[in-house]
Amino acid sequence: MCFFLIFLSCSQGSGGGSSAAGGLVEKPGPEGGGVPPQLAQVQIVNPTDYDVNLFVGLNPLQGAATALIPKGSTYTHTMPPTSGSGGDSFYFEYLIPVGGTSFPYFSYENSQVYQVGLGKDNRITVGALTQCKADAAYLLLENTTETALSLVNGNTLMTPEGQDSYLVEAGATAVYAVAQNAQVSVAGSTMMKVSVGTRQASLPDYDFEQGRVYTFSVVSKGSTAEPQVVLKGVSPFDLDVARQIWQLQVADTESRRFRIDCVRPAGEQAAGLVVAGVDQIDGEIFLREYDVYGSCTLESTFTIQTSNAATARSYQVYDLVAGKDNDYILLVGLAAGADELMEYVLVSWNPRDKTTVWNMNLSQFDLEGVFVFREGCRNSLIQLEAGEYALAGGIVQADGMHHFVGTVDTRAESNNLQLSSYVSESNSDIGNGVQQMFTSLHWTGSSLIAVGYENCDFSYANRPHRGVVYQLDRSLTGATQLHSSEGNLFFGVEGNGDTYYVCGEATGTGRILYGCFLTSTMIQEKQEPVQHTSAGAYNWFNQLCLYGNTLVLCGLTADSMDGTTNARPIVAAYNTSGQMIWENVYSGQSDAASCVPNKIGTYWIHLTGGSGGHSIVSGDLLGRNTGRVIPW
């Protein structure tokens, strides 16, 4: 059985405590170098995903660490040979990364007894950390004030993990372990307070559960202002965090061949991630499933013919959604040649049987126009019920571009698939190169929410384009405008039932672009979108995903309005009240094209452009995003 060391509830002892902050190093040997003849050397190999503190002879409860062994490295330890027939004990304390810091973890099951001999190849391999139980709750305290602070439980000052001092300096983050039986409240009110100078603020009342991480931020608007403690998030502590936070990297040479178009939640059998795009050498569409930890579990390729039975020479996967029978429904643009008009096809592909269940070329329906869909918009294709789907875009007719929504019921005979459609009426905004289209859909269970833009002319900067939200009934007989914001463009919508969230871009003073989002409540109350101003002069959001009361939004920030100068991907988390929790800005690539929720409480971000090719990065709700790289 293994257990967590709860340093706040244990005395340090005469040997001192273990070092989680940086590890200790062995004292130098005698002058003159070399190994004295009466001493032996032991090679200790750490192949695990964690940095490890080494303890020799005394375990972490009894003494100080001998050395810190970084993950993937080998440490040489010099010591006397073992006396007698037994062996020397080697203990390993694993440093588990959580929220930008590390928690020390020790298990007797991972200790080893080894007989060290002279003239012998002494070699010990640190064992893999596979399972254990967290016996404490963990508090991450972020000090965003201008002065040092401390955490007090009742009248007792609490010392952070890995520190000798109880002070948390300005700008620093401290970690505290709260033992399962620790008393932190009286009569339902917390005894925990933060002291900033002579001022105090109580932590929010909370029942701290073992095995969970609680992130608090201490804020104060000045040296004399009263501090506030804000709960930013709660996350399960998972020992296998290195598997949760991973990164799939498509090398630059491979990204010239494999172009990722679409990253979406996988079907129920995979319960992970599905990636679709184009093999630009073999001229095929590829589809890969990954489990929740980034392992590729299924791969398939296929081609589609154009309406005149020619094999397409170019493809673009605009969106996909898991179907009802282990299949995926893909919205694909295709053309037989460079000068050929793009056609759009809905195709049902079963990657397990590697068969096409059905396909529907939208050009077979005479809507007196040409379809247009915006690249990279999640939920431009959604499932209403099993076997019934809806798609959103635009359609260019003789008088200009119109909004378009269509529904397809595949429960009928496969050779008799029908498209029901809504096409917006002509108005004064249509014509002369003006774009208006729907980009993303949400099904409430009784009606469709369609978001997009209108009166948009990207070649004419002074035209007042508008971001719009419409509601359509199931029959698509009409559309009701719920919201219109001048200077906005809406690219994504996500939600549950009648509660939903919309994201895109907003134009600020001086034509500065800001990422923005709206809630369904804000729409009902006729409020303007929340604007994201911290990333830089120009930024916008492409997509969002939802976890309880946390929104994770992705997009880009740049130094120019067209997004081409010094463009970097951004990911930001907000609560549903419009307060930003954290923000990450990436380097090496230029855009965060899509954001997909993962069923283990994390999310995936598809990064594109720049010198880094394509990559898919996993992160969590505490803002962690650095993880191992999954090969393509």
Side-chain angles (χ1 to χ4, degrees):
M1 180 176 179
C2 51
F3 61 94
F4 251 99
L5 296 180
I6 312 303
F7 290 100
L8 294 179
S9 60
C10 302
S11 62
Q12 296 296 316
S14 59
S18 71
S19 172
L24 302 179
V25 295
E26 196 175 24
K27 293 181 179 179
E31 294 183 6
V35 180
Q38 70 275 21
L39 296 181
Q41 288 187 319
V42 183
Q43 302 291 319
I44 302 173
V45 183
N46 179 13
T48 74
D49 293 327
Y50 308 100
D51 296 342
V52 170
N53 275 331
L54 167 69
F55 294 77
V56 180
L58 300 177
N59 67 46
L61 288 174
Q62 301 169 320
T66 303
L68 171 71
I69 309 176
K71 60 184 179 181
S73 68
T74 299
Y75 170 75
T76 301
H77 177 61
T78 302
M79 62 181 293
T82 302
S83 59
S85 60
D88 287 286
S89 295
F90 294 80
Y91 303 96
F92 305 104
E93 182 181 66
Y94 300 79
L95 303 181
I96 313 300
V98 174
T101 186
S102 297
F103 291 151
Y105 174 78
F106 165 68
S107 167
Y108 282 110
E109 294 178 358
N110 293 99
S111 60
Q112 299 184 37
V113 176
Y114 184 86
Q115 189 167 45
V116 179
L118 287 172
K120 174 184 175 183
D121 182 16
N122 299 297
R123 183 174 295 269
I124 297 174
T125 300
V126 179
L129 191 58
T130 56
Q131 59 182 355
C132 73
K133 177 185 176 184
D135 294 327
Y138 296 94
L139 312 185
L140 268 68
L141 198 63
E142 300 176 348
N143 182 6
T144 66
T145 72
E146 298 175 354
T147 57
L149 59 79
S150 59
L151 181 64
V152 182
N153 186 24
N155 295 318
T156 304
L157 284 167
M158 301 182 68
T159 303
E161 295 290 336
Q163 288 188 203
D164 296 325
S165 170
Y166 58 82
L167 290 177
V168 182
E169 299 298 331
T173 298
V175 180
Y176 302 87
V178 178
Q180 185 176 356
N181 58 354
Q183 184 178 7
V184 296
S185 63
V186 174
S189 296
T190 182
M191 297 190 301
M192 285 192 170
K193 299 181 184 296
V194 169
S195 292
V196 183
T198 58
R199 297 162 291 135
Q200 284 193 333
S202 296
L203 268 67
D205 290 333
Y206 224 94
D207 293 326
F208 296 122
E209 300 179 31
Q210 68 182 85
R212 302 184 77 82
V213 179
Y214 299 81
T215 302
F216 294 94
S217 182
V218 183
V219 297
S220 179
K221 294 184 178 180
S223 58
T224 59
E226 292 299 319
Q228 293 182 314
V229 184
V230 179
L231 178 64
K232 290 178 57 176
V234 181
S235 175
F237 177 83
D238 193 330
L239 246 189
D240 212 5
V241 68
R243 294 182 66 209
Q244 288 196 28
I245 311 300
W246 51 269
Q247 181 179 131
L248 186 153
Q249 180 76 44
V250 184
D252 186 49
T253 53
E254 291 179 312
S255 68
R256 295 192 185 103
R257 174 175 180 176
F258 298 104
R259 188 192 71 223
I260 297 176
D261 291 340
C262 202
V263 179
R264 300 292 184 263
E268 288 300 321
Q269 281 200 354
L273 177 73
V274 59
V275 177
V278 179
D279 182 334
Q280 299 178 102
I281 293 180
D282 290 345
E284 297 175 321
I285 298 171
F286 69 80
L287 188 147
R288 295 185 178 188
E289 286 183 348
Y290 292 83
D291 66 16
V292 293
Y293 298 116
S295 296
C296 184
T297 57
L298 184 68
E299 181 177 2
S300 64
T301 60
F302 62 99
T303 59
I304 306 173
Q305 289 187 331
T306 63
S307 57
N308 60 5
T311 299
R313 293 190 178 182
S314 65
Y315 297 102
Q316 176 80 39
V317 181
Y318 283 82
D319 205 353
L320 68 83
V321 64
K324 62 185 180 70
D325 296 315
N326 299 323
D327 61 335
Y328 287 96
I329 317 303
L330 296 91
L331 173 61
V332 181
L334 52 93
D339 298 328
E340 297 291 328
L341 190 65
M342 181 76 77
E343 298 179 6
Y344 294 94
V345 174
L346 282 176
V347 58
S348 169
W349 172 253
N350 188 324
R352 289 165 179 80
D353 297 340
K354 297 185 177 180
T355 58
T356 299
V357 183
W358 54 262
N359 69 59
M360 170 192 286
N361 193 311
L362 299 184
S363 64
Q364 73 187 63
F365 301 101
D366 186 12
L367 295 181
E368 300 179 351
V370 177
F371 290 98
V372 180
F373 298 95
R374 189 177 189 274
E375 296 180 15
C377 287
R378 182 170 169 227
N379 295 336
S380 59
L381 172 66
I382 65 171
Q383 180 173 265
L384 304 181
E385 294 181 0
E388 188 175 11
Y389 306 93
L391 63 158
I395 187 166
V396 181
Q397 297 182 336
D399 60 346
M401 186 183 293
H402 298 252
H403 293 112
F404 164 79
V405 174
T407 59
V408 178
D409 190 345
T410 67
R411 294 170 292 190
E413 294 295 327
S414 60
N415 61 355
N416 191 33
L417 299 176
Q418 295 297 316
L419 175 73
S420 300
S421 62
Y422 162 81
V423 179
S424 60
E425 298 178 355
S426 297
N427 57 59
S428 59
D429 289 340
I430 293 179
N432 298 321
V434 174
Q435 294 189 25
Q436 57 180 20
M437 67 164 57
F438 289 135
T439 56
S440 188
L441 296 171
H442 168 63
W443 174 242
T444 67
S446 59
S447 63
L448 277 166
I449 302 298
V451 308
Y453 47 83
E454 60 189 19
N455 197 35
C456 183
D457 185 350
F458 291 105
S459 65
Y460 182 55
N462 292 322
R463 180 179 289 278
H465 55 264
R466 296 183 294 272
V468 293
V469 180
Y470 281 81
Q471 184 177 37
L472 298 91
D473 58 32
R474 180 112 181 212
S475 64
L476 304 184
T477 54
T480 302
Q481 188 180 88
L482 301 180
H483 181 85
S484 176
S485 294
E486 189 167 302
N488 289 12
L489 299 171
F490 294 146
F491 303 135
V493 60
E494 184 85 11
N496 295 305
D498 292 326
T499 301
Y500 56 89
Y501 305 87
V502 179
C503 72
E505 71 174 48
T507 305
T509 304
R511 300 201 55 77
I512 300 299
L513 297 180
Y514 298 120
C516 70
F517 73 89
L518 276 165
T519 70
S520 50
T521 300
M522 295 169 65
I523 291 172
Q524 293 170 4
E525 297 177 353
K526 311 297 183 184
Q527 299 180 29
E528 288 299 304
V530 174
Q531 294 187 0
H532 180 73
T533 59
S534 68
Y538 304 96
N539 65 84
W540 57 80
F541 292 136
N542 296 315
Q543 292 185 13
L544 61 87
C545 62
L546 176 66
Y547 279 110
N549 292 324
T550 301
L551 298 175
V552 179
L553 305 105
C554 70
L556 69 82
T557 181
D559 295 339
S560 62
M561 190 173 186
D562 61 1
T564 60
T565 305
N566 193 27
R568 291 96 63 204
I570 57 170
V571 181
Y574 278 80
N575 62 30
T576 53
S577 298
Q579 298 170 315
M580 190 177 76
I581 302 173
W582 50 260
E583 177 189 55
N584 288 326
V585 180
Y586 294 80
S587 60
Q589 289 164 300
S590 59
D591 195 7
S594 60
C595 177
V596 178
N598 191 352
K599 295 184 178 181
I600 57 174
T602 60
Y603 60 86
W604 292 290
I605 300 294
H606 176 203
L607 303 180
T608 65
S611 60
H614 293 270
S615 61
I616 299 170
V617 177
S618 175
D620 70 5
L621 299 183
L622 296 178
R624 296 176 299 173
N625 56 56
T626 303
R628 62 190 177 93
V629 174
I630 306 297
W632 177 250

